[in-house]
Amino acid sequence: MAVKAGQVVGILTNRDFLKKIALGPELNMDSLYSRTVASCMSSPVEYIGPDEPIIEAARIIYQRGIRRLPVLKNGQLVGIITETDLTRALTSCNPINSVGQIMQTDVAVVPPDATIARAAAIMAERRISSVVVVKGDEPIGVVTERDILIKVTTKQLDPTEVTVEQVMTSPLVSIDPSYSVFCAARIMEQMHIHRVLVMEGPRLVGIISQRDVLRATQRLFQAQHETALELFDNSKSPIFILDAAANTIYLNPAFCSLFQLDQPDQLLDRPFLPEQFWQRPEERWQFLEKLKQGDMHIEMLNLKTAKSNPLYVSVACSLIRDIHGQVTGYQGALHDITAKVLAEQASALAYERLEKANQQLKQIQSQIVQTERLASIGQLAAGVAHEMNTPVGFVASNFEALQKYVNCLRQLVMQYEELIKLLNPAKYPELAERLAQIDSLKAKMKIGFILEDIQSLFDESKEGLERVTAIIKNLRDLSRTDQADKWDSYNINAGVEATLVVARNELKYDTEVVKELGDVPEIPAHANQINQVLLNIIV
């Protein structure tokens, strides 16, 4: 490899020397020693990156007709891959075909007395790397580019004077055409040779080289790759393939359809599923971390399509490894579970709404029960009011009679007071002691205060009886249990007044009642039902 200022500028191979030898007499050994590498090397150099697939390296080597391919990273040489490396890798992955199917049957042969110059010319003309030396019909050796370089050029021998018999490799290594390509490649690798003869008994039927193995394997892998891609393209399952850095290198049509993509180019050669395809972008890094850790089954990803429609998928992945077991990428398939997830969400939402409706129904039921209790209490209160009406009535009647009697006694006592004032104890000494006893008793009993206060007591008691009577009347009128199903003339103002009296105890501690009753006519109605409504509203 020719390197200048850290950059690879050319490569010098056996074939480059072979071309010079094939020029003939005008090229002598002195000229070879005087010429620089730059004048003989192949340039520019074919190269490949370290992250490229080996099948791509095989394609380049086969199509360009070269044996080794530099591996460059950021312009710097980091390695070199040869036909031997590729043959070992590819045949170990897939032992394909028999030797007879891929060998070269048009073998270049020369007699033992042919010159090296003649052999080099044949190899250069036919772009091959070796010729077989035959004596009669029997192969006795093989001359390769390497043989010419080591045994002729480096020893400064004249290729026109040296015969192939002098530099050929012998004895020959041969195999039967029924051998597998894998076996042929293994023999070449173990014996450090690039080709073997294919013999049927004593007869030469062909020759197989590492390049032939590489070409056949590369074709097979290419066919397998194309078959796999065709299967992926026709699959209804969304499929993706990523490289080792989780960059997208393949998406099938089903994947593009699922994500409503116009073209796969929108995602190819970019990190897998950018953040705009995630409902919660932070989950993207969690997914990639699971992928790198080898978690090959993920229950659900919350995604969205290119048109922002919700998308829920489960993922099944597998690792792609090279022949050394190193992870070189990932491939996986998605399963669309959007319909299932949306159905579950709708079911959960419906359940939540049903739960709320059930709570509201319970509240309404509680209110109805409370209303029924209030109605029952109202009816009970009306019954109690009806029962209390009679005793309160006669108590009121007796109270009026008692008031009249007490007034009569009060007047009598006052007359006695006037009479006592007219009596003169001096004229009637026998009455003096008796009058003193009466005065003492009056003072002790506070007759004066009683006579002054007794009227106010009667007035207050009368007011209390009137209020009790009004409450009983309003309780009875509020329910009207005796006319529950009867239409009657009803005054709503009277209904409001009666309701406020009954509800007074509920209102007096925290409510100020302001009445603004209008002048409205009476209407035909079920009075007890309207009164019950008013009571429910006010309470």
Side-chain angles (χ1 to χ4, degrees), residues 199-215:
M199 306 285 291
E200 282 187 341
R203 187 169 65 92
L204 175 66
V205 294
I207 187 169
I208 184 169
S209 66
Q210 287 185 338
R211 180 165 298 176
D212 297 323
V213 175
L214 181 61
R215 177 176 57 189

Side-chain angles (χ1 to χ4, degrees), residues 45-78:
V45 180
E46 291 284 348
Y47 66 89
I48 195 169
D51 296 326
E52 294 291 328
I54 60 173
I55 197 68
E56 177 64 14
R59 183 190 65 79
I60 295 173
I61 286 179
Y62 169 67
Q63 289 183 351
R64 297 295 186 270
I66 57 179
R67 286 185 175 177
R68 50 193 58 78
L69 187 63
V71 182
L72 304 185
K73 185 174 184 180
N74 300 325
Q76 300 294 318
L77 180 67
V78 296

Side-chain angles (χ1 to χ4, degrees), residues 349-416:
L349 181 60
Y351 178 79
E352 182 180 351
R353 290 176 176 173
L354 182 62
E355 189 67 21
K356 289 182 179 179
N358 186 43
Q359 293 297 329
Q360 293 175 352
L361 183 61
K362 288 182 179 180
Q363 293 176 359
I364 293 173
Q365 184 179 19
S366 177
Q367 292 174 358
I368 292 174
V369 170
Q370 185 65 21
T371 300
E372 291 177 349
R373 287 177 179 175
L374 289 174
S376 300
I377 291 172
Q379 293 177 356
L380 179 62
V384 173
H386 182 75
E387 294 297 326
M388 291 176 61
N389 188 53
T390 299
V392 170
F394 67 70
V395 168
S397 177
N398 291 346
F399 177 80
E400 292 179 0
L402 177 62
Q403 185 178 20
K404 290 179 181 179
Y405 296 158
V406 171
N407 285 337
C408 291
L409 292 174
R410 180 172 176 274
Q411 292 176 7
L412 179 60
V413 171
M414 292 178 67
Q415 290 294 326
Y416 281 132

Side-chain angles (χ1 to χ4, degrees), residues 412-460:
L412 179 60
V413 171
M414 292 178 67
Q415 290 294 326
Y416 281 132
E417 287 289 332
E418 293 296 330
L419 178 60
I420 289 172
K421 290 179 181 178
L422 295 176
L423 294 175
N424 187 351
K427 293 180 178 183
Y428 306 101
E430 65 279 7
L431 296 176
E433 184 178 352
R434 187 63 175 171
L435 290 174
Q437 292 177 352
I438 292 174
D439 288 339
S440 176
L441 185 58
K442 283 172 56 180
K444 183 177 180 181
M445 297 179 64
K446 299 181 180 179
I447 293 300
F449 172 77
I450 290 174
L451 292 177
E452 291 178 3
D453 191 50
I454 196 169
Q455 186 58 43
S456 62
L457 292 177
F458 274 111
D459 291 341
E460 292 175 0

Side-chain angles (χ1 to χ4, degrees), residues 14 67 129 143-152 194:
N14 292 343
R67 286 185 175 177
S129 60
V143 176
T144 68
E145 293 173 342
R146 183 179 179 85
D147 292 327
I148 296 174
L149 176 65
I150 296 174
K151 299 177 181 179
V152 177
H194 291 284

Side-chain angles (χ1 to χ4, degrees), residues 507-518:
L507 305 176
K508 64 182 180 180
Y509 297 108
D510 54 10
T511 306
E512 178 183 358
V513 179
V514 179
K515 292 184 291 184
E516 296 181 0
L517 304 178

